[in-house]
Amino acid sequence: MDFKEIVDSRGKLVAIEQEKTIPFEIKRVFYIYGVNPFENRGAHAHYRTKQVLIALNGRCMVTVENENGRLEILLDHPSKGLLIEPHEWHVMGEFTEGCILLVLASEHYDEKDYIRSYDQYLEVYPRASHKGGSFQ
Ligand code: T46
């Protein structure tokens, strides 16, 4: 997603509005920071939760798997967002020092909404594109 930057002589501003800029009601906001560049986070899918990820500072790489296959998306600018739909397996990695990853979520936190095992993910959502083997 490319958010509109409002630019003037003082700097830049991005405005995000639920159900307009973001295609869902935002029930939860969290942010991830202080991640070691060699660590991965995520490695799960959700049953219901939709999320938009925005690197407010720094960069990170997000690998997303869905019925179309796997895609690596670089989040490297606060005017860029990545919509992750339910049922999409996602892994965030290659965090640069100082990276702050903002996440807007459509649901309140509920551990029961997570599929944290890739094998279980394949069982719940068996698709041709998963035949590539293990992916954590
Ligand atoms: C996701 C990616 C992008 C809470 O108590 N409340 C919360 O709202 C969240 C998000 C997490 N937690 C607890 C659960 C764990 O004990 O915080 C701990 C770390 O969570 P997790 O290992 O799930 O963090 P990430 O970075 O792997 O994943 C998070 C979100 O959980 C997940 O929904 O899609 O960011």
Side-chain angles (χ1 to χ4, degrees):
M1 307 171 77
D2 290 310
F3 304 126
K4 184 182 173 210
E5 289 183 294
I6 302 169
V7 185
D8 62 31
S9 59
R10 299 164 298 172
K12 299 175 182 175
L13 182 153
V14 169
I16 288 175
E17 297 187 50
Q18 68 176 16
E19 293 164 344
K20 287 187 178 176
T21 335
I22 303 297
F24 51 77
E25 182 190 354
I26 300 165
K27 289 198 181 151
R28 183 165 49 107
V29 175
F30 60 94
Y31 39 96
I32 295 166
Y33 57 100
V35 182
N36 182 312
F38 302 108
E39 287 290 348
N40 282 341
R41 299 193 64 110
H44 55 240
H46 293 280
Y47 289 106
R48 294 175 55 222
T49 303
K50 299 177 187 177
Q51 297 181 116
V52 171
L53 277 53
I54 305 164
L56 290 183
N57 190 55
R59 300 186 302 279
C60 69
M61 191 68 84
V62 188
T63 306
V64 178
E65 175 174 331
N66 61 23
E67 65 273 24
N68 299 315
R70 291 174 195 161
L71 207 57
E72 287 206 316
I73 298 121
L74 177 68
L75 290 180
D76 60 353
H77 198 273
S79 68
K80 258 167 83 169
L82 173 63
L83 175 64
I84 298 185
E85 299 280 1
H87 315 158
E88 291 187 324
W89 186 264
H90 52 284
V91 180
M92 303 91 77
E94 299 177 37
F95 285 80
T96 57
E97 196 181 340
C99 179
I100 302 173
L101 184 64
L102 177 74
V103 182
L104 311 173
S106 67
E107 308 297 329
H108 295 295
Y109 175 69
D110 179 2
E111 189 56 41
K112 292 195 289 299
D113 189 54
Y114 286 73
I115 305 173
R116 290 192 183 269
S117 144
Y118 189 70
D119 288 342
Q120 189 190 345
Y121 176 62
L122 296 187
E123 281 172 26
V124 177
Y125 303 111
R127 293 179 186 130
S129 65
H130 294 154
K131 286 183 178 160
S134 166
F135 173 65
Q136 309 271 348

